[in-house]
Amino acid sequence: MKLSIALLLTAGSATAFAPSSLVHSSYSRHLNLATKSDFCKHSALCMSAAEANVAESAAIADKDTDTNATSEFPPILQELREVAMRLHTREQAPREGKAEEPKKPAEPHVPTQADYLQFLVDSYVVYVALEEIVNEVDALAPFRNSGLERTQALETDIAYMCEKFDLQRPDAGKAGSMYAAQLKNMIKSDEDVPEFMCHYYNFYFAHLAGGRMIGKQMSKLLLDGEALEFYKWGENVNGMKDT
């Protein structure tokens, strides 16, 4: 089912995209990103990949700004874009970034294969939760078997990392486990579907878009260029993002 439906569902909630929910990571009724924020902040991989990717991200953001400067976005997408830019620094998005530049560590963290494996395991428990919810809630039936499912790919990648680098599969970290539990407790009735769809759209789109770029960087840094199954979305990736 087309991902644009996710945006239509979330549009039914007046405060679904309240900037305060995103910027301050406060627990709000319609967009609770506190635990997801922790999931990212506690992942050494996410942080180091972001640092490693600053120059490339900035170039792409700048290019996108030039390309879309005169384009018209649907109102809800424009609202999403404006909020997203509040979370980008000027270094990441030279023309539109509004967030303060974080203090850079004296020595940047260099991720290891073990860090990457932990990231994959944490991502796995979140995707398991997302897919279980979609399969269990009747209102979400249109999103089943969409081609976006990632659990099987992650299982393959986790097994590959353990074998390739002689690593033991770790338990899911606190942040990933908490976020997965939060998702599972989110839907009590059909009225809660728009709240869930905010998370569904954000999580899938993040990995489908910028996540692929991070995956390429990690592949070069840690895997000798080997591409993980997690980042293989099929031939028409851009089409998936647009639909």
Side-chain angles (χ1 to χ4, degrees):
M1 190 63 183
K2 293 185 176 182
L3 279 178
S4 55
I5 295 178
L7 293 175
L8 296 176
L9 287 171
T10 54
S13 173
T15 58
F17 297 100
S20 60
S21 301
L22 288 165
V23 176
H24 299 108
S25 294
S26 60
Y27 283 87
S28 68
R29 167 67 177 163
H30 298 286
L31 186 53
N32 185 344
L33 288 181
T35 307
K36 183 172 186 296
S37 176
D38 287 343
F39 175 69
C40 289
K41 288 190 292 185
H42 285 79
S43 170
L45 174 66
C46 287
M47 297 301 289
S48 58
E51 292 169 0
N53 241 353
V54 163
E56 188 171 355
S57 297
I60 292 175
D62 201 24
K63 180 180 179 181
D64 288 344
T65 300
D66 291 338
T67 302
N68 298 321
T70 59
S71 300
E72 292 186 4
F73 289 92
I76 194 168
L77 292 183
Q78 182 60 40
E79 185 174 356
L80 280 171
R81 181 180 178 81
E82 291 172 357
V83 172
M85 286 302 102
R86 292 191 184 102
L87 303 178
H88 282 70
T89 65
R90 285 287 183 180
E91 188 175 18
Q92 294 169 325
R95 298 194 179 187
E96 297 182 85
K98 297 179 181 179
E100 293 184 7
E101 296 286 349
K103 293 182 179 179
K104 295 183 178 181
E107 295 184 7
H109 174 77
V110 178
T112 65
Q113 283 90 3
D115 291 330
Y116 203 8
L117 177 60
Q118 184 67 64
F119 166 75
L120 296 174
V121 170
D122 288 347
S123 297
Y124 175 78
V125 297
V126 175
Y127 274 108
V128 166
L130 289 167
E131 292 178 20
E132 286 181 351
I133 294 167
V134 167
N135 289 330
E136 292 170 1
V137 178
D138 290 340
L140 298 172
F143 294 91
R144 296 169 189 166
N145 302 314
S146 64
L148 295 173
E149 294 80 13
R150 296 289 93 188
T151 53
Q152 291 184 4
L154 282 165
E155 279 281 18
T156 299
D157 292 335
I158 291 169
Y160 165 78
M161 292 288 292
C162 290
E163 180 178 356
K164 176 75 173 179
F165 302 105
D166 193 25
L167 298 169
Q168 293 293 318
R169 178 171 180 157
D171 294 331
K174 180 180 178 180
S177 298
M178 288 179 62
Y179 185 47
Q182 179 184 330
L183 290 170
K184 291 179 180 179
N185 293 327
M186 188 173 293
I187 297 183
K188 306 299 182 183
S189 68
D190 285 352
E191 293 181 357
D192 299 318
V193 169
E195 177 183 0
F196 171 78
M197 289 310 302
C198 290
H199 293 259
Y200 180 94
Y201 181 86
N202 184 58
F203 204 76
Y204 276 97
F205 189 81
H207 285 147
L208 185 60
R212 292 188 300 123
M213 185 168 59
I214 292 175
K216 289 180 180 179
Q217 293 290 329
M218 292 300 99
S219 174
K220 294 177 183 177
L221 181 64
L222 301 173
L223 307 179
D224 295 324
E226 183 73 23
L228 295 182
E229 296 299 313
F230 179 49
Y231 299 104
K232 297 178 182 179
W233 297 84
E235 297 180 0
N236 190 20
V237 174
N238 291 329
M240 294 179 74
K241 289 191 292 184
D242 293 337
T243 56

